[in-house]
């Protein structure tokens, strides 16, 4: 469905611009003829010149370009560094003063971010070469066309057709699709089609090939010392594929090719290459454009004006960036007067330039809208395309010992370090979402002492994940990898399993061919870092293939495929939902903050195993001093029932150690002297046992039962400076519950006592305290670092959101101690309350259930066990499952319930008194989590419930899902 939507989007955008092919440049045009007839000789020559303009330039520079347009009638401008809005304004200004509309170009191989600020940073061509899905490359070209048109450009100096056959090449490197001619041609063809279907002329470069050169044509004239046969077989291969497919433009490089021109003249000035080879032999009829004429490779033996003249004589149609426009025009006229060039040849070139302008619609409209430029460039669909490009490019070039994805997170100490990046970065932060990872960072050029200190911190780790950042493309300085960094990795490899993630040029992996697991991410931005971290733990699968051969150990096409095993952190578009359709969540959640329903909250939505929405709103308290973060930890309140006790019951039931039809007394000896002994386990789990709903234990607390300091007599913390007598729960609270009034079973009455009792069942049957059993069997294997009881014992207080301002019992702001008074008096661990968690960890636990008991490569339950517990048990009596809450049975009542109206009957979850909820819908593979601390409010009214904030947000999600379903049916 997602792929279909992607291509519907593609087709829609393509229809907005004329599709272009090279053959159309030769089609007769009345507009071209009419404009041509108005041009003077000097104006004709001006049409053959394109100069560079900068949108960040000052007024003097801008007017210099304007003068060239007014008085020398240049045919186009190449827009370079600046900003999108400034470029649009400048292009419109230039177009408004031009006698003939200007052909606007951009050298934007990997998108506008190559030249403009405030734009999406798309991958370069090498990572695109790692992608196995040609449709994504086409979509990239189409999106590039849309963005180029939006900023007033008509021609893109891309794709690069150079084949990366020389890894010592100082200029091409990651700009090439790869080292295989067929792969380069296939990717470039899709890129070209996308551009031209979107109404932009593609100009492939650098003819005849810059991939096997040792020098940079910006600084000198490189030479391609290959035979004609070799050139024809390799360098020219992509051109032979793209030219018949309709390529509109070719940029001639400043490269000496002795096999075709014994004088070793730059290709741009060689008739043998620009005309005989490109036009006559390969049959190219489109625009031929020189590379930048200010480059040293163009002017080694001649003056800049003579280089321009020779380029025209050689066969080029457009001169890019000659040093002096007036001098160049004068030199061209001189060459014509001397018979070196004819007006007939010039006229043909001019008409071809005018035909290109006609082809891109400049005969109809030359101006661009100035409204919402930056917003238009950052459409959610474009961001998602970028996400998919980066995700699909990631390449696992080696995976010995099957280290990726990491599975047994609880059975190994895992360390992670970023070399060349700060500690607070997307790679390390995302790794932390998956489990207990000790994180470190060091800068590439830090002193040896810093590296030694880091080594000592990591030396005892079984697995060390290393992110290598701040590397460059310069082979001569070993890609800026310091000797200290190399030595550290070598030392660690002798004691630990190393997983190396390279954020940059893959050629640097020759330094690390001894390592067992190497992941290439190609780019060093936040998106690449996050996705690489997800790949390490199986949040995403890997499919990329190495596009180049590196050394002797890594061949083109190497790449180990993996499958996702854990949650992915993606965009809504990954599941077919538009981000804009979830924007109402923001306003609803923020409205609760503004109206003081709670100081802050966190909302998380996961669908199809992907977290598609995760945001924090407000603050820890109404003082607005500490902003909420998505990593914050909340008191889950009654969500404890399903995230803790029910998990234990399910496991023991599956093992045959608990019988739902058995009685409380059969498992809990202390209950056997009470009428509760005969209560059925299934009735306790469905709140049908006839129990008293609630006992206010704190009201019966005598002065001798607590103290303000901890001691052997008062060891149990209830809150700050508040400790209760040893054994109080077993000696006072539990007997009180067992002796409480019991009503006739079979009627639904919600009671906390049921889960107090089930806690005792789990502990007696397992032989372990509840938290120990849960942590061992679920929380640690799942990598849940925040889920647990009494979080002060294992988390920083800064991560704990204050739960309530307790005015009735503890008379203080309660932070990290459970709100529920009974659970607090029981030592913070209870079957019905006391569990704390971040939204992420709760989502992981729920995803395991959605996965029918499997997560991260491990199985926790059999599918039939989960199904047994999450279905309605007695729908004629209540909406309850076994432990789990469910939507109202009556559809009419759902409008007033805790869920969205459209939830399926398969939905299960729970709400919490502190302002929390989690709802899981297997039909839609959906998890919705809302965490807040509503009890911080001094008001008695439940604004959170009164404003229906939780179900309203839930409804937004279903509205978005159902919108997708309706679209798919149309």
């Amino acid at each position: 469905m997602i792929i279909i939507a992607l291509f519907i989007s593609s087709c829609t955008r393509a229809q907005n611009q004329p599709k272009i092919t090279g053959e159309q440049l030769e089609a007769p045009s009345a507009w071209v003829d009419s404009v041509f007839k108005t041009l003077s000789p000097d104006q004709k020559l001006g049409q053959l010149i394109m100069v560079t303009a900068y949108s960040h330039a000052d007024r003097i520079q801008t007017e210099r370009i304007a003068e060239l347009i007014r008085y020398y009638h240049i045919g186009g401008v190449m827009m370079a560094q600046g900003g999108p809005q400034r470029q649009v304004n400048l292009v419109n200004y230039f177009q408004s003063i031009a006698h003939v509309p200007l052909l606007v170009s951009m050298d934007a191989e990997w998108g506008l971010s190559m030249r403009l600020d405030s734009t999406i940073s798309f991958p370069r061509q090498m990572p695109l070469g790692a992608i196995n899905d040609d449709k994504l490359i086409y979509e990239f070209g189409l999106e590039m066309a849309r963005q180029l048109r939006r900023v007033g450009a008509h021609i893109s100096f891309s794709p690069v057709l150079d084949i990366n056959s020389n890894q010592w090449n100082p200029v091409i490197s990651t700009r090439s699709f790869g080292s295989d001619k067929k792969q380069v041609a296939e990717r470039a063809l899709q890129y070209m089609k996308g551009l031209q279907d979107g109404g932009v002329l593609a100009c492939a470069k650098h003819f005849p090939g810059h991939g096997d050169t040792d020098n940079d044509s910006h600084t000198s004239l490189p030479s391609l010392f290959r035979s004609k046969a070799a050139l024809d077989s390799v360098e020219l291969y992509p051109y032979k594929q793209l030219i018949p497919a309709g390529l509109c433009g070719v940029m001639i490089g400043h490269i000496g090719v002795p096999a075709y021109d014994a004088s070793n003249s730059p290709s741009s000035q060689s008739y043998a290459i620009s005309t005989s080879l490109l036009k006559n032999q390969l049959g190219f009829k489109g625009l031929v454009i020189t590379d930048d004429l200010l480059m040293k490779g163009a002017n080694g033996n001649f003056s800049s004006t003579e280089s321009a003249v020779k380029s025209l004589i050689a066969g080029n149609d457009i001169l890019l960036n000659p040093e002096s426009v007036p001098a160049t025009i004068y030199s061209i006229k001189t060459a014509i007067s001397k018979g070196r060039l004819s007006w007939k040849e010039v006229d043909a070139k001019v008409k071809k330039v005018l035909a290109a302008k006609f082809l891109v619609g400049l005969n109809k409209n030359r101006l661009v809208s100035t409204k919402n430029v930056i917003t238009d460039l950052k459409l959610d669909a474009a961001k998602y395309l970028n996400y998919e490009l980066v995700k699909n490019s990631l390449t696992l070039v080696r995976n010995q010992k099957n280290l990726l994805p990491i599975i047994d997170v609880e059975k190994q100490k895992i360390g992670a370090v970023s070399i060349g990046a700060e500690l607070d970065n997307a790679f390390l932060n995302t790794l932390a979402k998956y489990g207990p990872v000790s994180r470190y960072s060091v800068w590439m050029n830090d002193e040896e002492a810093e590296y030694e200190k880091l080594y000592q911190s990591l030396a005892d780790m079984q697995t060390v994940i290393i992110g290598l950042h701040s590397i460059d493309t310069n082979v001569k300085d070993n890609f800026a990898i310091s000797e200290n960094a190399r030595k550290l990795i070598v030392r660690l490899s002798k004691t630990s399993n190393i997983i190396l993630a390279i954020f940059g040029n893959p050629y640097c992996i020759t330094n690390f061919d001894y390592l067992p697991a190497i992941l290439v991410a190609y780019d060093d931005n936040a998106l690449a870092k996050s996705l690489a971290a997800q790949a390490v733990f199986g949040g995403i699968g890997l499919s990329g293939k190495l596009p180049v051969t590196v050394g002797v150990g890594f061949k083109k096409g190497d790449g180990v495929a993996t499958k996702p095993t854990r949650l992915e952190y993606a965009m809504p578009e990954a599941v077919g939902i538009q981000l804009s359709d979830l924007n109402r969540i923001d306003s609803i959640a923020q409205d609760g903050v503004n109206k003081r329903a709670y100081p802050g909250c966190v909302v998380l939505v996961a669908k199809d195993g992907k977290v598609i929405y995760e945001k924090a709103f407000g603050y820890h308290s109404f003082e607005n001093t500490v902003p909420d973060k998505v990593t914050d930890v909340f008191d889950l309140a009654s969500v404890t029932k399903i995230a803790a006790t029910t998990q234990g019951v399910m496991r023991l039931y599956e093992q045959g150690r608990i019988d739902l039809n058995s009685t409380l007394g059969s498992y809990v000896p202390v209950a056997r002297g009470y009428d509760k002994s005969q209560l059925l386990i299934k009735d306790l789990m469905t709140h049908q046992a006839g129990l008293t709903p609630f006992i206010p234990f704190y009201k019966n607390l005598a002065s001798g039962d607590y103290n303000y300091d901890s001691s052997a007599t008062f060891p149990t913390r209830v809150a700050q400076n508040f400790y209760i007598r040893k054994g109080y729960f077993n000696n006072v609270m539990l007997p009180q519950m067992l002796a409480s009034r019991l009503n006739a079973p079979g009627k639904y009455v919600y009671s906390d006592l049921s889960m107090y009792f089930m806690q005792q069942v789990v502990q007696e049957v397992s032989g372990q305290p509840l938290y120990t059993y849960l942590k061992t069997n679920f929380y640690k294997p799942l990598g849940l670092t925040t889920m647990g009881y009494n979080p002060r014992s294992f988390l920083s207080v800064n991560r704990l959101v204050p739960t309530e301002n307790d005015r009735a019992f503890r008379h203080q702001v309660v932070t990290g101690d459970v709100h529920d008074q009974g659970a607090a008096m029981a030592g913070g661990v209870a079957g019905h309350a006391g569990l704390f968690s971040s939204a992420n960890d709760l989502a992981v636990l729920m995803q395991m259930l959605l996965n029918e008991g499997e997560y991260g490569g491990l199985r926790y339950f059999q599918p039939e066990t989960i199904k047994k517990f999450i279905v309605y048990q007695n729908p004629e009596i209540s909406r309850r499952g076994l432990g789990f809450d469910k939507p109202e049975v009556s559809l009419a009542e759902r409008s007033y319930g805790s869920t969205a109206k459209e939830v399926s009957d398969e939905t299960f979850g729970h709400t919490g008194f502190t302002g929390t909820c989690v709802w899981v819908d297997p039909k839609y593979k959906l998890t919705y989590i809302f965490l807040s601390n509503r009890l911080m409010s001094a008001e008695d009214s439940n604004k959170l419930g009164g404003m229906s904030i939780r179900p309203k947000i839930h409804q937004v999600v279903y509205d978005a899902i159902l919108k997708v379903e309706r679209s798919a049916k149309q």
Side-chain angles (χ1 to χ4, degrees):
M1 180 173 64
I2 298 169
I3 293 174
I4 292 172
L6 194 66
F7 279 95
I8 289 174
S9 171
S10 301
C11 294
T12 301
R13 278 180 279 154
Q15 290 170 358
N16 293 334
Q17 298 293 342
K19 292 187 177 182
I20 292 172
T21 62
E23 291 80 4
Q24 292 173 294
L25 288 170
E26 295 187 316
S29 168
W31 182 84
V32 170
D33 292 339
S34 64
V35 173
F36 179 79
K37 291 176 182 178
T38 68
L39 300 179
S40 67
D42 280 4
Q43 288 174 330
K44 290 178 181 179
L45 297 179
Q47 289 299 301
L48 306 183
I49 296 175
M50 182 177 285
V51 301
T52 301
Y54 299 85
S55 58
H56 64 31
D58 58 25
R59 184 174 179 178
I60 294 175
Q61 292 175 303
T62 297
E63 284 307 309
R64 181 180 66 82
I65 303 298
E67 180 179 302
L68 296 178
I69 296 170
R70 288 191 184 100
Y71 302 113
Y72 296 94
H73 308 284
I74 59 174
V77 292
M78 179 178 73
M79 300 304 300
Q81 273 65 30
Q85 186 68 59
R86 298 190 300 275
Q87 174 162 318
V88 167
N89 294 339
L90 194 59
V91 166
N92 281 349
Y93 168 61
F94 288 157
Q95 293 284 22
S96 69
I97 62 175
H99 171 65
V100 178
L102 296 167
L103 189 64
V104 179
S105 68
M106 289 192 72
D107 189 6
E109 297 165 17
W110 55 89
L112 299 187
S113 67
M114 186 174 173
R115 303 298 173 191
L116 303 179
D117 60 33
S118 307
T119 55
I120 298 171
S121 179
F122 287 96
R124 298 192 179 202
Q125 286 192 191
M126 184 179 284
L128 295 183
I131 297 172
N132 288 312
D133 187 352
D134 283 349
K135 294 184 290 294
L136 278 174
I137 311 302
Y138 171 81
E139 184 71 12
F140 168 69
L142 197 61
E143 176 59 25
M144 285 302 93
R146 185 190 72 83
Q147 294 197 15
L148 287 162
R149 296 291 303 217
R150 186 63 190 86
V151 295
H154 316 105
I155 183 167
S156 175
F157 294 145
S158 62
V160 173
L161 297 194
D162 301 323
I163 297 166
N164 228 335
S165 51
N166 181 359
Q167 67 183 56
W168 298 95
N169 192 309
V171 65
I172 300 303
S173 190
T174 56
R175 297 167 65 192
S176 166
F177 282 113
S179 60
D180 179 77
K181 63 180 183 181
K182 292 184 178 179
Q183 177 177 293
V184 170
E186 290 167 358
R187 302 297 189 274
L189 181 62
Q190 295 303 319
Y191 188 175
M192 178 203 82
K193 286 182 176 179
L195 282 172
Q196 296 186 172
D197 285 355
V200 166
L201 302 169
C203 181
K205 62 186 183 184
H206 306 84
F207 188 84
H210 207 330
D212 192 21
T213 57
D214 294 332
N215 298 319
D216 183 352
S217 53
H218 290 84
T219 58
S220 63
L221 177 66
S223 293
L224 194 60
F225 296 106
R226 295 170 72 96
S227 67
K228 282 187 178 182
L231 290 166
D232 183 73
S233 174
V234 180
E235 273 74 15
L236 299 183
Y237 180 86
Y239 292 94
K240 290 191 288 185
Q241 310 308 307
L242 268 66
I243 289 172
L247 177 64
C248 287
V250 168
M251 176 174 280
I252 307 292
H254 306 310
I255 308 160
V257 189
Y260 281 101
D261 190 329
S263 70
N264 203 37
S265 296
S267 299
S268 54
Q269 299 168 32
S270 169
Y271 184 90
I273 295 172
S274 296
T275 296
S276 297
L277 176 59
L278 177 61
K279 296 181 178 181
N280 299 340
Q281 183 176 324
L282 298 183
F284 181 64
K285 305 298 184 183
L287 280 175
V288 182
I289 304 174
T290 70
D291 206 343
D292 194 318
L293 288 170
L294 291 179
M295 295 164 64
K296 295 297 183 181
N299 301 303
N301 300 317
F302 306 101
S303 66
S304 58
T305 54
E306 176 61 13
S307 295
V309 170
K310 288 178 71 65
S311 294
L312 283 183
I313 294 171
N316 288 271
D317 300 309
I318 293 179
L319 302 173
L320 180 61
N321 221 28
E323 183 175 5
S324 169
V325 171
T328 297
I329 291 176
Y330 176 80
S331 295
I332 296 171
K333 289 195 293 185
T334 300
I336 294 172
S337 68
K338 293 182 178 181
R340 298 174 63 197
L341 183 69
S342 70
W343 277 110
K344 181 179 179 181
E345 293 171 301
V346 168
D347 289 350
K349 296 176 188 296
V350 173
K351 287 186 176 181
K352 192 185 294 185
V353 171
L354 293 176
K357 296 181 179 185
F358 176 78
L359 201 54
V360 296
L362 284 170
N363 59 312
K364 297 178 181 178
N365 185 24
R366 64 174 74 180
L367 302 181
V368 185
S369 171
T370 59
K371 297 180 180 178
N372 304 317
V373 176
I374 294 177
T375 301
D376 289 346
L377 293 175
K378 291 187 174 182
L379 296 179
D380 294 334
K383 295 176 184 177
Y384 175 59
L385 172 63
N386 188 42
Y387 178 92
E388 284 294 301
L389 291 169
V390 176
K391 174 182 171 181
N392 282 273
S393 71
L394 298 183
T395 308
L396 184 58
V397 297
R398 179 182 289 166
N399 193 27
Q400 295 172 355
K401 306 179 186 178
N402 290 320
L403 293 182
L404 267 69
I406 294 175
I407 297 177
D408 296 316
V409 293
E410 86 283 8
K411 294 181 180 179
Q412 56 185 313
K413 290 183 68 175
I414 302 174
V417 57
S418 277
I419 300 176
E422 67 281 355
L423 182 63
D424 183 16
N425 72 70
F427 181 59
L428 297 179
N429 293 341
T430 305
L431 288 173
K433 287 178 174 285
Y434 291 103
V437 178
S438 300
R439 291 169 284 166
Y440 308 89
S441 73
V442 65
W443 292 106
M444 189 69 75
N445 294 316
D446 274 351
E447 297 295 329
E448 186 174 353
E450 288 296 318
Y451 277 90
E452 179 62 29
K453 180 180 177 182
L454 177 59
Y455 172 75
Q456 296 301 328
S457 298
L458 293 167
D460 66 338
M461 302 287 179
Q462 284 87 3
T463 298
V464 178
I465 306 164
I466 299 175
L468 195 62
H469 311 267
S470 300
I471 58 180
D472 62 28
T473 60
N474 192 335
V475 181
K476 294 181 180 179
D477 72 349
N478 196 25
F479 310 98
I481 300 172
S482 69
E483 187 62 21
N484 283 333
R486 291 180 68 250
K487 288 180 179 179
L488 173 71
I489 297 172
V490 170
R491 292 179 71 189
L492 289 172
S493 70
K494 296 177 180 179
T495 58
S496 307
N497 287 320
I498 303 296
I499 297 171
L500 178 66
I502 293 173
F503 296 98
N505 195 323
Y507 283 124
C508 77
I509 61 179
T510 52
N511 288 275
F512 311 106
D513 56 5
Y514 57 91
L515 294 179
I518 303 176
L519 174 66
V520 179
Y522 301 99
D523 288 304
D524 199 8
N525 53 42
L527 178 58
K529 291 172 185 173
S530 173
L531 285 168
Q534 294 184 51
V536 169
F537 279 100
I540 61 171
L542 293 167
S543 61
K545 299 295 183 182
L546 192 63
V548 292
T549 293
V550 182
V552 296
F554 304 94
K555 303 298 183 184
K556 177 200 68 66
D558 283 354
V560 182
T562 64
K563 293 183 179 180
T565 60
R566 290 185 171 91
L567 278 173
E568 177 182 349
Y569 299 88
M571 295 180 62
E573 284 77 8
V575 296
I577 293 174
Q578 295 181 14
L579 178 60
S580 57
D581 288 332
L582 297 180
N583 285 343
R584 282 196 297 134
I585 294 176
D586 295 30
S587 58
I588 296 170
Q590 188 60 47
D591 191 43
V593 173
N594 297 342
K595 294 181 178 176
R596 299 175 69 86
Y598 40 78
C601 68
V602 171
V603 182
L604 183 148
V605 178
K607 186 173 183 339
D608 299 339
K610 307 174 194 294
V611 175
I612 59 171
Y613 183 99
E614 186 181 20
K615 285 189 181 181
F617 301 86
Y619 297 83
H620 279 202
S621 67
F622 287 115
E623 282 71 35
N624 297 352
T625 55
V626 181
D628 271 10
K629 299 179 181 178
V630 295
T631 54
D632 284 339
V633 176
F634 290 77
D635 181 345
L636 297 184
S638 286
V639 174
T640 301
K641 294 179 172 70
I642 66 167
T645 312
T646 300
Q647 301 295 317
V649 174
M650 291 167 66
R651 170 63 66 87
L652 296 169
Y653 163 80
E654 184 171 287
Q655 294 174 343
R657 301 170 68 186
I658 287 180
D659 184 346
L660 297 174
N661 292 306
S662 191
T663 62
L664 176 64
S666 64
Y667 298 112
V668 183
V670 71
R672 291 170 188 166
Y674 297 88
D675 56 2
K676 312 300 183 299
S677 178
Q678 297 305 308
L679 296 179
L680 297 178
I681 299 299
K682 65 181 181 181
D683 287 343
L684 290 171
M685 295 291 290
T686 55
H687 298 279
Q688 293 175 201
L691 294 170
T692 297
F694 171 72
I695 298 176
F697 296 106
Y698 72 98
K699 292 184 178 181
N700 301 322
L701 195 63
S703 59
D705 293 329
Y706 63 92
N707 203 338
Y708 297 114
D709 294 312
S710 64
S711 65
T713 304
F714 300 95
T716 305
R717 178 186 169 106
V718 177
Q720 187 72 23
N721 301 321
F722 194 150
Y723 298 87
I724 204 165
R725 184 180 295 278
K726 182 178 181 180
Y728 188 84
F729 176 79
N730 288 331
N731 297 331
V732 179
M733 294 174 64
L734 184 56
Q736 189 175 349
M737 284 185 275
L738 290 169
S740 64
R741 179 179 176 179
L742 182 65
N743 298 310
K747 182 180 179 182
Y748 171 63
V749 177
Y750 184 82
S751 173
D752 286 340
L753 273 62
S754 62
M755 285 299 179
Y756 272 117
F757 291 149
M758 289 310 303
Q759 175 188 0
Q760 304 307 308
V761 172
V762 171
Q763 293 179 159
E764 291 289 345
V765 174
S766 69
Q768 301 180 62
L770 177 65
Y771 183 29
T772 301
Y773 183 73
L774 294 169
K775 183 166 59 174
T776 301
N777 287 280
F778 299 102
Y779 302 160
K780 287 186 69 177
L782 285 166
L784 310 184
T785 58
T786 67
M787 184 172 284
Y789 291 91
N790 293 318
R792 282 174 168 268
S793 65
F794 61 92
L795 290 174
S796 167
V797 176
N798 294 333
R799 294 189 65 183
L800 306 178
V801 177
T803 298
E804 69 166 328
N805 188 358
D806 187 354
R807 293 175 173 82
F809 176 34
R810 287 160 284 192
H811 305 288
Q812 62 181 271
V813 173
V814 176
T815 304
D817 297 303
V818 58
H819 148 73
D820 184 272
Q821 300 94 339
M825 295 167 66
V829 181
H832 71 295
L835 197 66
F836 286 72
S837 180
S838 65
N840 179 76
D841 280 3
L842 183 57
V844 169
L845 183 65
M846 295 300 109
Q847 189 63 44
M848 180 268 289
L849 299 177
L850 262 182
N851 292 350
E852 298 186 323
E854 190 173 357
Y855 189 83
L858 301 177
R859 179 160 290 284
Y860 297 85
F861 295 113
Q862 295 300 318
E864 54 268 22
T865 300
I866 297 172
K867 184 176 181 180
K868 172 73 175 178
F869 277 72
I870 66 173
V871 299
Y872 290 110
Q873 297 297 305
N874 301 291
E876 68 282 357
I877 296 175
S878 79
R879 65 177 189 265
R880 291 281 166 170
L882 287 166
F884 294 98
D885 199 359
K886 291 185 66 62
E888 294 291 349
V889 178
S890 168
L891 295 178
E893 293 180 6
R894 287 188 188 173
S895 299
Y896 310 99
S898 301
T899 66
K901 293 179 291 184
E902 284 80 6
V903 296
S904 76
D905 290 343
E906 300 174 41
T907 299
F908 60 91
H910 218 286
T911 57
F913 189 71
T914 53
T916 61
C917 78
V918 56
W919 293 109
V920 180
D921 190 339
K923 178 181 178 181
Y924 294 103
K925 298 180 181 178
L926 175 71
T927 297
Y928 160 58
I929 294 170
F930 181 95
L931 302 181
S932 76
N933 54 340
R934 74 170 185 90
L935 296 178
M936 286 295 292
S937 174
E939 302 176 21
D940 294 331
S941 62
N942 180 7
K943 283 188 176 181
L944 174 65
M947 295 172 67
S948 299
I949 289 172
R950 288 174 290 188
K952 281 182 179 178
I953 292 176
H954 204 195
Q955 188 62 50
V956 171
V957 179
Y958 275 90
D959 289 344
I961 292 172
L962 295 174
K963 178 182 177 181
V964 174
E965 288 192 347
R966 288 192 297 269
S967 298
K969 292 177 181 178
Q970 292 176 352

